Amino acid sequence: MFCRNNAQQISLTDPINNMPKYLKDILGKSWANSFQQHVFPNICEERFSVIYSDNYASRPNSPVNVIIGLLILKEIFQLSDEELIGSLHFDIRYQYALRTTSYEKQPVSINTLTNFRNRLVDYEKSTGVDLIQLEVEAQADYIAKFLKVDNKKVRMDSLMVSSSCKKLTRLELVYNVNAKFIKELNKINADLIPEECKVYLEKGHKNETIYRTRDIETESKLQFLLNHSQILYNSALKIGGKIIDLESYKLLSRMIKEQLSEDETASASPKLGSKISPESLQNPTDPDATYRTKYGPNIGYVANVAESFNDKNSVITNYDLKPNIYSDSKFADDVIEKLISKVNDKSSKIELLVDGAYYGQNKSEDSLSKGIEIIPSELVGRKPSKEKLSYTSFSIDEETNVINHCAYGKKPIESYFSSSSYTAKFDIEQCSGCPYQSNCPIKHQKKYNVVRVSEKRYQTDLQREKMNTADYIKLTNKRAGIEGIPSVLRRRYKIDTIPVRGLLRSKLWVGFKIAAYNFKKLLKQLLNDGDYSMAKLVLLIINILCNIFSSLFQEKRNLLHILTDKILLFGV
């Protein structure tokens, strides 16, 4: 049963009350105080009531805000679950940050964390709602307001996120899928396994089948294993019942459709590698992972982050995780849909700074009408030749929507707009004396010289012309600030080595990493406001003194631990 955490008041016997004043001061200046003031009280417990029972006779849940706060601290300090629970029990700073110092017994165990994650994943599977994403983005909005970031400027970037699963050859993939299904059949009833496939249960069979195969035997061995797959598939269909409901059977069925040609007869042959979709199964231990060759081969996912910023601060206000075949253009659509709700009135607009992969002419026009201006730092596709004049050198009348004169100021004999293209015909004699004749994009014909350009190409050339102005370049240079986030997520938060598999579970972990990143942004500002910008220098001085006078500086060593935590929070 869901219950709110109402036991957050410090009791008279609380250990904090019995601390010396200098230790209270140290605790008050630590990260723990900032966390318990700005993060913990803003966690919306009611949001998570849907993952618990509504039966009042059932056992009350562990405090949701304590669990979420603990999982954010886990990412801040990069701890395992065991280390995290140890820190909660033995480090009063964690208890202070989560307001549990007055508890006789800490309300969270390792199983509590595991069960909470499972509940979140099951809820998203059934409803499509990611409660942690809602919570993290709500926390981000609070931090943005505190840092006076008004969400009028937003920049986006994406990064590839590798799955922790092994990259398999086709032989390994087919063998592992077969073996996984056979092992489950063996647990249910060994007699269900077709006679030809019982050898999978023998010790050393995998090494003999896969790793001792010569290159010239690869194709025949692949066909041999796929034949086993079909035998297993057909046998399971005959049995029916709970067998075809097994997850391993669903993976087998999926793999056969992806790896074999459309003909599902016994003589069906493996597809050519070039015919296999990047959405196909890459590893049975991570069915959601897909294949992409952006910046090199990648098996896994792609994360997108949208950061609101001003001249001093920035906060990740939106994030998402999708299979790595999800395009930047689709991410742009998703973010624009969320930003629309933040447009206060028609007179104000949000500037969305992106790279060329996010941008589209139709998307830009549609979003601008809703108060969001997409500002690309570059455009995809081949750049026009510098030797040729841009099509923007031809002037288009806004009222009639036709070309009314060329770069030399000459009017066309005939001009019209049809099938989303502008067409204009010019007199040949007029063009003969034109100083721009050598680099004009006009086409010379017998009767007329003709220029024809699509509306999309014309608008693209206008955009390129706009992008060359000094003000535009100054604005797009601000997008570079988000380029460091992928590096931070990889180096500090180990986003490429998430110890779980599957899209929903991975996204859950990414959410807490984003929350940790945003808290550090907040803490940095709090430290600057509190005159702690010299923390690194002080740490260095105290460290030297403690090494020289180790027996005389017990109190200084306590301060050293606190300052060390501050440095750790900045990833130094």
Side-chain angles (χ1 to χ4, degrees):
M1 182 188 71
F2 173 76
C3 292
R4 286 201 62 191
N5 178 16
N6 295 317
Q8 298 180 32
Q9 297 297 321
I10 296 178
S11 66
L12 293 175
T13 59
D14 194 284
I16 301 295
N17 292 330
N18 298 322
M19 281 185 177
K21 184 180 181 303
Y22 77 91
L23 288 181
K24 288 183 181 179
D25 292 340
I26 291 173
L27 189 60
K29 295 176 182 178
S30 72
W31 58 266
N33 188 49
S34 299
F35 193 93
Q36 68 93 16
Q37 283 187 349
H38 297 283
V39 176
F40 186 79
N42 292 308
I43 296 173
C44 179
E45 294 180 273
E46 284 78 7
R47 193 194 310 278
F48 299 90
S49 62
V50 292
I51 65 175
Y52 294 101
S53 170
D54 55 2
N55 182 0
Y56 290 99
S58 60
R59 182 179 65 83
N61 61 286
S62 298
V64 171
N65 51 5
V66 174
I67 298 172
I68 293 176
L70 202 56
L71 290 173
I72 294 174
L73 291 175
K74 170 186 169 72
E75 295 301 332
I76 291 174
F77 294 103
Q78 286 297 290
L79 304 175
S80 65
D81 282 0
E82 291 79 5
E83 291 170 333
L84 184 66
I85 296 300
S87 296
L88 176 63
H89 282 78
F90 305 128
D91 192 334
I92 199 170
R93 290 169 299 180
Y94 282 74
Q95 298 173 21
Y96 185 67
L98 302 172
R99 300 185 181 180
T100 63
T101 52
S102 294
Y103 281 59
E104 292 182 6
K105 180 182 178 182
Q106 294 302 312
V108 177
S109 67
I110 290 179
N111 288 341
T112 307
L113 301 179
T114 302
N115 293 337
F116 184 71
R117 294 186 187 111
N118 289 338
R119 287 174 184 270
L120 291 170
V121 171
D122 291 340
Y123 183 77
E124 187 170 2
K125 281 181 180 178
S126 61
T127 65
V129 178
D130 185 350
L131 296 175
I132 290 300
Q133 184 176 19
L134 294 177
E135 180 62 34
V136 171
E137 291 182 356
Q139 289 276 347
D141 287 339
Y142 166 80
I143 294 174
K145 289 178 182 177
F146 186 87
L147 298 179
K148 299 179 181 178
V149 177
D150 59 7
N151 291 315
K152 293 302 179 185
K153 286 186 173 62
V154 181
R155 50 197 179 198
M156 278 201 299
D157 198 15
S158 62
L159 66 148
M160 307 302 287
V161 179
S162 298
S163 169
S164 60
C165 70
K166 179 184 176 183
K167 182 180 179 181
L168 301 177
T169 64
R170 289 182 74 180
L171 274 179
E172 290 174 316
L173 173 64
V174 176
Y175 185 94
N176 287 349
V177 172
N178 290 349
K180 187 179 179 69
F181 183 51
I182 290 168
K183 286 178 181 178
E184 289 204 26
L185 289 178
N186 189 48
K187 291 179 182 178
I188 298 171
N189 186 348
D191 294 335
L192 298 176
I193 304 173
E195 197 64 36
E196 303 94 319
C197 299
K198 290 185 177 180
V199 290
Y200 283 77
L201 299 174
E202 296 177 1
K203 186 177 181 180
H205 181 258
K206 182 176 181 178
N207 289 342
E208 189 67 35
T209 304
I210 299 176
Y211 303 117
R212 295 179 183 175
T213 298
R214 293 181 297 176
D215 290 344
I216 58 174
E217 298 175 341
T218 300
E219 291 186 12
S220 59
K221 188 64 67 73
L222 179 61
Q223 179 71 67
F224 178 71
L225 293 177
L226 285 169
N227 288 341
H228 283 170
S229 303
Q230 289 183 297
I231 292 170
L232 288 166
Y233 176 77
N234 294 330
S235 175
L237 277 180
K238 291 179 182 178
I239 299 169
K242 63 180 181 180
I243 299 299
I244 59 176
D245 291 330
L246 293 173
E247 188 63 30
S248 57
Y249 170 79
K250 295 176 182 178
L251 290 175
L252 176 70
S253 176
R254 173 185 171 184
M255 186 268 295
I256 289 175
K257 292 177 182 178
E258 293 170 346
Q259 294 289 332
L260 279 174
S261 57
E262 301 254 341
D263 182 9
E264 294 187 3
T265 63
S267 59
S269 58
K271 288 182 180 179
L272 294 174
S274 58
K275 300 294 183 180
I276 297 176
S277 169
E279 298 181 57
S280 64
L281 183 66
Q282 302 296 316
N283 191 310
T285 63
D286 195 351
D288 299 327
T290 50
Y291 180 83
R292 190 174 179 182
T293 55
K294 183 179 180 180
Y295 309 124
N298 176 272
I299 293 175
Y301 309 99
V302 58
N304 187 75
V305 290
E307 183 182 48
S308 298
F309 69 98
N310 57 24
D311 293 337
K312 294 182 178 180
N313 294 302
S314 61
V315 181
I316 295 177
T317 49
N318 176 266
Y319 74 93
D320 206 353
L321 188 75
K322 297 287 187 181
N324 62 16
I325 57 173
Y326 204 79
S327 68
D328 286 351
S329 179
K330 291 181 180 178
F331 275 128
D333 293 334
D334 298 339
V335 172
I336 289 169
E337 186 176 348
K338 289 189 175 183
L339 289 178
I340 289 172
S341 62
K342 297 182 179 180
V343 178
N344 297 325
D345 54 72
K346 294 183 179 180
S347 61
S348 64
K349 64 180 179 181
I350 296 175
E351 295 177 333
L352 181 59
L353 279 63
V354 298
D355 63 20
Y358 290 96
Y359 181 78
Q361 187 62 43
N362 293 335
K363 191 197 309 291
S364 176
E365 293 173 359
D366 182 59
S367 62
L368 187 59
S369 65
K370 298 173 182 177
I372 300 168
E373 181 181 5
I374 303 178
I375 303 173
S377 57
E378 56 184 23
L379 298 180
V380 296
R382 187 174 62 182
K383 293 182 179 181
S385 172
K386 293 182 179 180
E387 297 178 357
K388 291 287 185 180
L389 281 177
S390 167
Y391 282 106
T392 57
S393 60
F394 292 86
S395 174
I396 292 180
D397 189 287
E398 293 183 0
E399 295 182 2
T400 59
N401 198 34
V402 295
I403 296 174
N404 57 9
H405 65 78
C406 68
Y408 194 42
K410 300 298 182 181
K411 293 185 177 181
I413 297 173
E414 182 182 358
S415 183
Y416 56 89
F417 178 80
S418 177
S419 301
S420 300
S421 293
Y422 299 99
T423 302
K425 298 177 181 179
F426 291 87
D427 187 278
I428 294 177
E429 293 184 1
Q430 286 183 335
C431 293
S432 61
C434 178
Y436 305 110
Q437 185 176 12
S438 60
N439 54 1
C440 182
I442 206 166
K443 292 184 178 179
H444 300 283
Q445 297 182 357
K446 288 184 178 180
K447 292 184 178 180
Y448 307 102
N449 288 338
V450 180
V451 61
R452 185 176 289 109
V453 58
S454 68
E455 184 179 21
K456 182 179 179 181
R457 173 63 187 275
Y458 187 83
Q459 293 299 326
T460 300
D461 280 4
L462 281 176
Q463 181 65 35
R464 290 189 187 278
E465 194 174 74
K466 181 181 178 181
M467 290 168 64
N468 289 327
T469 62
D471 289 343
Y472 191 95
I473 293 172
K474 183 179 179 180
L475 180 59
T476 55
N477 284 343
K478 294 180 180 179
R479 186 193 170 272
I482 200 173
E483 299 288 353
I485 291 180
S487 176
V488 172
L489 291 176
R490 287 196 170 95
R491 291 184 296 103
R492 176 61 187 159
Y493 296 101
K494 315 299 180 187
I495 198 171
D496 282 321
T497 54
I498 296 175
V500 293
R501 293 174 187 172
L503 176 62
L504 299 185
R505 292 188 182 277
S506 298
K507 186 181 177 185
L508 193 66
W509 285 64
V510 170
F512 287 115
K513 294 178 188 295
I514 299 298
Y517 176 91
N518 283 339
F519 173 66
K520 288 188 179 182
K521 288 283 188 177
L522 173 64
L523 182 63
K524 182 177 180 181
Q525 184 62 42
L526 291 171
L527 292 177
N528 289 336
D529 292 344
D531 227 1
Y532 295 108
S533 57
M534 298 297 291
K536 295 182 182 180
L537 179 59
V538 173
L539 173 62
L540 179 62
I541 295 172
I542 294 176
N543 195 17
I544 294 172
L545 293 174
C546 286
N547 289 334
I548 297 174
F549 306 106
S550 58
S551 62
L552 301 176
F553 284 82
Q554 182 62 44
E555 184 178 329
K556 296 293 186 182
R557 285 204 300 275
N558 291 334
L559 179 57
L560 173 64
H561 294 317
I562 300 298
L563 290 173
T564 301
D565 282 345
K566 292 186 185 297
I567 302 303
L568 179 61
L569 283 170
F570 293 120
V572 178

